[in-house]
Every structure is written in structure tokens, then in C-alpha cells.
Amino acid sequence: MLFKLTNKNSDRMTHCGVLEFVADEGICYLPHWMMQNLLLEEGGLVQVESVNLMVATYSKFQPQSPDFLDITNPKAVLENALRNFACLTTGDVIAISYNEKVYELRVMETKPDKAVSIIECDMNVDFDAPLGYKEPERHMPHPEEPTEEETDPSNYDVDLGFRAFTGSGNRLDGKKKGIEPSPAPLDPSDIKRGIPNYEFKVGKITFIRNSRQQPRKFDMDDMATNFIAFSGEGQSLRKKGRKP
């Protein structure tokens, strides 16, 4: 049994079912949230009519507080709470209790009619954004423009290990030098990072060799051999009979 309740003073109406017939004649007891929907005070007059409602297929709710989002599975909680309801009316604010806390939800939409029956039905439930809910701002990182790598060797990491002959020297006569020695210039071999070959072409192999010409080593064995080769007895090129 489904009924339509109307408050003619405020021109508000809603729909409900019957919990039990125990009230005295001419008196009906309503939940507090239903009296708020009807703008009805205790002892006020309400018109009761018997109606037949269509079975619900879809309903949409809007939580009246962002606290409803703290529930782990709000859809399952709502479906379980709607078992205590007989019908829904678009525009009503229903109240459900969960974990000793009351949550209010406004019925935003119902299908196939503005007032539907939810007794033994297969209904799809949807939620709207809670009242007063603000989505957190998302700060999108600005893409940084790629910069070309500098090829200045002074910007590269330099090996700070041992380097020979970088200290100061002393004079043999004991006098102090008037000019402080300047640090030795960096050699390209001291730089960890090399400079790429920008003239490289695919399919071409380049063998890098030392550009400095190495001094030729003189072998002592070769010198001794040459000395022995020209140390024998020579023959005069002059004709016989002439004095050397």
C-alpha cells in the first residue's frame, strides 16, 4: 500500500508506504525528515491519498554533505538503506543512518516517473557531487623547454686527483720569488667528459691518433753497428806511385 501525502498550506507533497497500523483514528506518525519535506509541524493537517506508482528503474542522489564521501563503499550503503523505503519522490531529502551518523541525500531524479516504487525492483543508482564539494586543484607542471647542452669544457666535471708539478718552487740561492706561480692550465685529457664529433657521418669510422709527432728514439745498438761498419782499414783511391 502506497500513499500520497499533501500539505495544502505549503503546497508540498511526497509519497510513502505503511510501517504499521497502530495509530489512533485520524492520526498518522511521520519521520522527522518527511515532515521537513512537507514543511509540516506537529499537529498539522495532512491529506492522505492511496496511489499506485510505477516500479523504479533509475534514481540519482546528491549527498548534502561531503562527509558522505568518507564512506568506503557509499553505493552499497545506500542500497542497503533503501530496503527500508517503499517509494521515492523527486525533490525529497531522505535520511539514512550509518555508523551512528545520519546522512541526508536529495533525490535529484527518478525514472520512469517523478514518484516511483522501489519495492522488489532492479534500480540503477547514481550520485551527484555532494553539496559544497570542491574538487582539489591540480597543478599541472609546466613543460620546460629543452636547452642545448653547453660544450664549454669549463662547465664539465674535472678530475681533482693528483696532478704532477702543480706546486710552487724555491730558488737555489734562498731568495723568495716575487711572483706566485700560477696553476698549470688544464689539459684536455684531464676532462672527464669529451666533446662529441659533430662531423660524424653514418657508415664512417674514424681512428683517432695522437696529433703530436713523437720524437724518434735513437737506439744505442744501431749507433754501435754504424761505428763498427766504418772503423775498418780503408783503401786509398790514389794511384800507386803517388805519395799519400
Side-chain angles (χ1 to χ4, degrees):
M1 299 182 64
L2 301 177
F3 297 92
K4 177 181 178 182
L5 306 180
T6 306
N7 182 5
K8 293 186 177 181
N9 294 332
S10 60
D11 197 17
R12 300 290 293 272
M13 67 90 182
T14 187
H15 298 79
C16 66
V18 178
L19 181 61
E20 53 185 0
F21 293 95
V22 296
D24 296 336
E25 185 178 353
I27 298 176
C28 63
Y29 296 94
L30 304 176
H32 180 68
W33 60 267
M34 189 174 292
M35 296 179 65
Q36 288 182 333
N37 289 330
L38 294 172
L39 301 178
L40 187 66
E41 298 180 355
E42 294 184 6
L45 296 176
V46 62
Q47 182 178 351
V48 181
E49 301 177 36
S50 178
V51 293
N52 292 323
L53 301 179
M54 301 178 65
V55 178
T57 58
Y58 172 81
S59 61
K60 185 176 183 180
F61 299 88
Q62 181 189 34
Q64 299 299 289
S65 173
D67 297 340
F68 188 73
L69 298 178
D70 298 336
I71 301 176
T72 305
N73 192 348
K75 186 175 181 180
V77 172
L78 178 60
E79 290 178 352
N80 186 46
L82 289 179
R83 295 178 182 177
N84 299 324
F85 290 77
C87 55
L88 294 173
T89 305
T90 301
D92 283 358
V93 177
I94 64 174
I96 62 175
S97 178
Y98 179 74
N99 281 347
E100 299 180 356
K101 188 174 182 180
V102 177
Y103 298 93
E104 294 184 346
L105 297 95
R106 180 178 296 276
V107 183
M108 303 297 295
E109 183 181 358
T110 56
K111 292 180 181 180
D113 201 355
K114 292 185 177 180
V116 291
S117 172
I118 60 174
I119 300 175
E120 297 181 357
C121 69
D122 187 9
M123 179 179 63
N124 295 326
V125 178
D126 196 6
F127 291 98
D128 201 354
L131 191 65
Y133 173 75
K134 294 182 179 180
E135 294 185 0
E137 297 180 357
R138 297 181 180 179
H139 300 281
M140 299 297 294
H142 298 285
E144 298 181 357
E145 297 181 358
T147 57
E148 296 182 358
E149 297 183 357
E150 299 180 357
T151 58
D152 187 4
S154 62
N155 295 331
Y156 298 157
D157 296 333
V158 179
D159 188 3
L160 300 180
F162 173 76
R163 296 177 62 197
F165 305 107
T166 57
S168 60
N170 297 322
R171 295 170 60 96
L172 296 178
D173 54 5
K175 296 181 180 180
K176 295 182 179 180
K177 298 176 65 176
I179 302 175
E180 293 294 332
S182 58
L186 294 177
D187 191 78
S189 61
D190 295 333
I191 302 176
K192 285 185 176 180
R193 185 175 179 180
I195 300 176
N197 183 12
Y198 294 102
E199 298 180 358
F200 172 77
K201 295 181 180 180
V202 179
K204 180 180 179 182
I205 302 177
T206 304
F207 296 94
I208 302 176
R209 294 183 175 86
N210 193 351
S211 60
R212 298 180 182 179
Q213 185 175 2
Q214 298 292 338
R216 183 178 181 182
K217 295 182 180 180
F218 194 79
D219 195 353
M220 296 299 297
D221 295 337
D222 295 341
M223 184 178 66
T225 304
N226 295 332
F227 178 75
I228 294 173
F230 295 97
S231 62
E233 183 179 357
Q235 186 177 3
S236 177
L237 298 177
R238 297 182 180 182
K239 297 181 178 180
K240 296 181 180 180
R242 293 184 182 183
K243 294 182 180 179

